[in-house]
């Protein structure tokens, strides 16, 4: 096969080259073929470790999976370090040098599994693997806050072992849906620990224009890192801004109490090169979503946790002194920008407090339908569909949104229905848990199932956390989901038929057609 001759093959994200797979020397995300190959080796070592039936080990297995998620770790040497740590658990002797590791890694490309297993079995395995990666990301964040769960640990090992042993397709299908169920537990665990640490999210106005002064921009998802930075910058004359998936932080009482958390800057991850170039301060990347930094800001961008990019300075253990010093050396914003604010903080607890009002508005005919429009954003053409969709949702309908896909429309004016905002920002991608809770509350109010609600779910996906969220919805029996802007390349025709037959999942079409279908 032609792919076998290429340096890499990767099709785990929505923007994969040609909609079929990134090959040759680098991925669309910027990942080098060396890094991709090392990640292939790491994943194979994880499967081999799981096949040894180890006692569940919190941490390493999940973190190694998370490191291979799109836009997390671009550093080949750091992935090599993880390979050696996992190999020591097996134990297995690895080549001493990077070149030897890369040569070994080439034996584990997807294209080889495709040849050996056939398309359906090979791609079912990838679907399970990508769900595991997404779940590992949420579990990593929960563990940062002191959480652990034996069921999650055990499932990670059992599912990886099934991939190592190449179990039949029917068993893989069962594990894929079970992955969705266990991911729900991971998201619930993270939600509970967010609330225990930072309080229940509450509706909050967030400034989206600059404030005069020195500045640090925090992107990613990790609220623990944000809190540590806020503590270390208090009284230093530095304003802190959120970016991307950090926006929901402003709804948590334990974070918004810091007066120097002044607002949100910019939009979703794919615009960061332009936005970071213009930001007059230091930048901290806490989880996935990093792009190749431009030389113009390489000296003031920092990574932490599992995020690594060659050339970017990495800070460990919450020691953000270098970030603070870099911010003090930059000019900061010279003056306040024109004031503009948006609303966040509509988690399930906030919605529960007005559930009767919402249910009454539906019964009175004031609210006709709910549209959940959320998921990962990206740069690939076609994502303007989500902006147009939100703009065309009728005035008697409410939009729920979560994850960075909301940046396509969250600064637009949607108004309200009887005091209920027409746009309810539920939070980060992991807050799909809150969205499910909200749907469950509505279903209870109307004595029906989620599938019988006046609710349409239209998702955008980019990387493996979105895959895990989709599997969670399917594991809960949610049907009629629309997915876009394109269907995953790692889903085979047979798997797609199964998803259509069992869950009536389908691709997005046009905003007008999808709205009409939802309201008929």
């Amino acid at each position: 096969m032609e792919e076998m001759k290429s340096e890499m093959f990767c099709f785990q994200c929505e923007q994969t080259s040609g909609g079929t797979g990134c090959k040759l020397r680098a991925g669309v995300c910027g990942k080098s073929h060396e890094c991709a190959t090392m990640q292939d080796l790491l994943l194979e070592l994880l499967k081999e470790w799981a096949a040894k039936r180890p006692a569940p080990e919190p941490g390493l297995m999940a973190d190694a999976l998370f490191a291979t998620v799109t836009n997390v770790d671009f550093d080949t040497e750091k992935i090599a370090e993880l390979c050696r740590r996992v190999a020591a658990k097996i134990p297995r002797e690895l080549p001493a040098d990077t070149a030897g590791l890369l040569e070994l890694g080439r034996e584990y490309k997807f294209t080889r599994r495709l040849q050996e297993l056939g398309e359906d079995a090979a791609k079912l395995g990838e679907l399970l693997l990508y769900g595991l990666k997404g779940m590992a990301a949420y579990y990593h964040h929960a563990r940062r806050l002191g959480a652990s769960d034996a069921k999650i640990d055990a499932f990670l090992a059992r599912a990886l072992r099934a991939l190592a042993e190449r179990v039949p397709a029917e068993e893989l299908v069962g594990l894929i849906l079970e992955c969705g169920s266990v991911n729900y537990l991971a998201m619930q665990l993270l939600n509970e620990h967010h609330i225990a640490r930072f309080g229940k999210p509450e509706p909050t106005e967030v400034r989206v224009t600059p404030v005069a002064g020195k500045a640090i921009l925090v992107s990613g998802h990790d609220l623990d890192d944000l809190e540590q930075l806020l503590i270390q910058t208090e009284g230093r004359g530095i304003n802190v801004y959120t970016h991307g998936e950090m926006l929901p932080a402003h709804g948590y009482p334990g974070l918004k109490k810091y007066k120097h958390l002044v607002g949100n800057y910019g939009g979703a991850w794919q615009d960061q090169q332009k936005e970071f170039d213009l930001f007059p301060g230091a930048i901290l990347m806490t989880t996935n979503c990093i792009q190749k930094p431009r030389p113009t800001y390489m000296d003031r961008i920092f990574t932490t946790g599992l995020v690594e990019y060659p050339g970017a300075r990495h800070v460990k253990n919450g020691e953000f002194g270098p970030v603070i010093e870099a911010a003090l050396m930059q000019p900061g914003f010279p003056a306040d920008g024109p004031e503009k604010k948006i609303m966040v903080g509509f988690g399930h607890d906030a919605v529960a407090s007005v559930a009767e009002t919402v249910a009454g508005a539906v019964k009175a005919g004031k609210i006709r339908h709910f549209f959940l429009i959320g998921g990962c954003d990206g740069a690939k053409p076609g994502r303007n569909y989500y902006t147009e969709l939100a703009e065309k949702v009728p005035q008697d309908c409410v939009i729920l949104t979560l994850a960075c896909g909301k940046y396509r429309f969250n600064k637009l004016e949607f108004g309200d229905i009887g005091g209920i905002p027409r746009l309810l920002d539920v939070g980060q991608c992991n807050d799909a848990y809150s969205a499910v809770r909200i749907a469950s509350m509505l279903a209870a109010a109307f004595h029906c199932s989620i599938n019988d609600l006046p609710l349409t779910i239209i998702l955008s996906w980019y990387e493996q956390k979105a895959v895990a969220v989709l599997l969670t919805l399917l594991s809960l029996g949610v049907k009629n989901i629309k997915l876009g802007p394109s269907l995953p390349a790692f889903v085979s025709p047979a798997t797609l038929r199964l998803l259509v037959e069992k869950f009536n999942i389908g691709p997005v079409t046009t905003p007008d057609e999808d709205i009409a279908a939802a309201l008929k």
Side-chain angles (χ1 to χ4, degrees):
M1 295 179 63
E2 180 183 346
E3 288 94 340
M4 292 293 292
K5 300 176 184 177
S6 68
E7 294 287 352
M8 68 178 288
F9 182 86
C10 181
F11 60 177
Q12 68 177 2
C13 84
E14 192 269 334
Q15 291 181 186
T16 193
S17 181
T20 58
C22 293
K23 309 167 188 176
L24 303 177
R25 303 292 296 177
V28 171
C29 68
K31 181 169 55 182
S32 69
H33 71 93
E34 292 94 349
C35 188
T37 301
M38 199 68 78
Q39 289 185 0
D40 288 340
L41 175 58
L42 176 59
L43 292 168
E44 193 64 27
L45 291 169
L46 285 170
K47 296 174 193 175
E48 188 175 333
W49 180 24
K52 299 285 187 180
R53 298 179 181 269
E57 180 176 323
L60 180 56
M61 194 168 279
D63 287 356
L65 281 167
F66 186 18
T68 68
V69 167
T70 305
N71 294 76
V72 177
D73 195 334
F74 291 80
D75 192 318
T76 304
E77 295 300 330
K78 296 297 183 182
I79 299 295
E81 289 177 16
L82 281 171
C83 287
R84 297 191 188 284
R85 288 178 60 193
V86 173
K89 300 289 184 180
I90 298 173
R92 177 178 174 181
E93 187 173 345
L94 295 180
D97 60 342
T98 300
L101 289 175
L102 290 172
E103 188 63 32
L104 180 61
R106 292 188 183 96
E107 298 179 13
Y108 302 120
K109 285 194 299 186
F110 169 76
T111 44
R112 178 160 295 184
R113 292 193 295 282
L114 184 64
Q115 279 189 330
E116 295 171 351
L117 301 175
E119 183 178 26
D120 290 338
K123 288 189 173 181
L124 275 173
E126 295 303 287
L127 180 56
L128 174 58
L129 179 62
Y130 301 158
L132 294 174
K133 290 184 179 192
M135 179 172 67
Y138 297 134
Y139 191 37
H140 168 85
H141 296 315
R143 287 182 53 256
R144 286 289 313 274
L145 298 171
S148 64
D149 189 288
K151 184 173 182 178
I152 297 173
D153 293 324
F155 180 76
L156 286 173
R158 180 160 56 86
L160 286 168
R161 181 165 63 248
L163 291 173
E165 295 173 351
R166 299 187 172 184
V167 300
E170 312 84 67
E171 189 172 341
L172 283 175
V173 171
L175 285 167
I176 285 167
L177 291 178
E178 187 178 357
C179 181
S181 298
V182 179
N183 184 62
Y184 184 79
L185 293 179
M187 291 192 297
Q188 180 181 28
L189 191 69
L190 177 56
N191 177 267
E192 290 170 351
H193 279 73
H194 273 162
I195 290 173
R197 177 79 161 269
F198 308 115
K200 294 179 179 179
E202 53 194 28
T204 302
E205 285 191 321
V206 181
R207 184 179 178 121
V208 292
T209 50
V211 175
K214 303 287 186 178
I216 295 176
L217 186 62
V218 186
S219 193
H221 304 73
D222 203 298
L223 300 186
D224 179 67
D225 283 326
L226 176 61
E227 183 185 47
Q228 297 309 311
L229 181 69
L230 288 168
I231 292 170
Q232 294 175 41
T233 51
E234 199 163 22
R236 299 293 301 273
I238 300 173
N239 294 322
V240 176
Y241 297 80
T242 57
H243 176 269
E245 283 275 65
M246 276 293 189
L247 170 61
H250 295 271
Y252 288 93
L255 294 173
K256 69 179 184 177
K257 70 180 182 181
Y258 294 95
K259 301 304 181 185
H260 60 301
L261 180 63
V262 296
N264 188 76
Y265 173 90
W269 67 272
Q270 76 277 0
D271 295 325
Q272 68 183 249
Q273 290 180 325
K274 175 180 64 178
E275 292 171 351
F276 290 2
D277 216 1
L278 297 174
F279 186 76
I283 302 151
L284 177 65
M285 300 298 300
T286 66
T287 58
N288 59 304
C289 297
I290 191 170
Q291 289 183 303
K292 180 180 181 179
R294 290 179 175 174
T296 46
Y297 59 83
M298 180 64 89
D299 63 337
R300 53 189 175 87
I301 187 170
F302 298 81
T303 61
T304 193
L306 294 176
V307 188
E308 300 268 6
Y309 208 104
R313 283 182 285 177
H314 191 77
V315 291
K316 297 181 179 180
N317 305 318
E319 297 173 357
F320 296 128
V323 184
I324 294 169
E325 293 307 312
L328 292 172
M329 293 176 64
Q330 297 299 316
F333 288 103
D336 292 355
E339 188 173 67
K340 179 177 175 57
K341 295 182 177 180
I342 60 176
M343 289 286 290
V344 302
F346 292 98
H348 60 273
D349 289 302
V351 175
S353 67
V354 294
E356 290 187 9
T357 303
V358 173
V362 175
K363 292 173 181 177
K366 295 179 181 178
I367 296 178
R368 180 168 38 149
H369 204 82
F370 296 88
F371 288 83
L372 196 163
I373 307 173
C376 305
D377 203 4
K380 188 176 178 180
R383 288 180 178 266
N384 58 319
Y385 161 91
Y386 295 93
T387 309
E388 188 178 346
L389 177 73
E391 290 175 325
K392 290 186 172 183
V393 166
Q395 293 295 309
D396 58 356
C397 298
V398 171
I399 300 170
L400 300 169
T401 191
L402 51 84
C404 64
K406 62 175 165 270
Y407 282 107
R408 291 279 167 175
F409 49 82
N410 70 337
K411 293 183 177 72
L412 303 177
E413 297 292 338
F414 289 95
D416 65 89
I417 301 174
I420 301 168
R422 287 190 59 239
L423 179 66
L424 301 176
D425 185 345
V426 177
Q428 292 182 339
C429 51
N430 60 281
D431 290 314
Y433 167 77
S434 262
V436 170
R437 288 285 302 275
I438 291 168
S440 298
M441 285 188 289
L442 290 172
F446 291 102
H447 307 288
C448 67
S449 71
I450 291 177
N451 290 321
D452 293 324
L453 285 171
L455 168 68
T456 298
I457 300 175
I458 302 177
L459 301 178
S460 57
W461 79 281
Y462 174 71
E463 40 87 327
Q464 298 81 65
K465 288 186 293 181
V467 174
V469 170
L470 177 62
L471 296 185
T472 292
L473 294 173
L474 298 182
S475 75
L476 294 169
V478 178
K479 296 183 178 181
N480 306 313
I481 297 169
K482 293 283 189 181
L483 183 65
S486 62
L487 294 178
F490 52 81
V491 171
S492 72
T495 303
L496 182 58
R497 284 195 298 271
L498 177 66
L499 294 175
V500 171
E501 291 168 6
K502 189 173 178 64
F503 301 102
N504 198 34
I505 192 169
V508 297
T509 58
T510 69
D512 290 323
E513 290 174 318
D514 290 340
I515 290 172
L519 298 177
K520 69 179 180 180

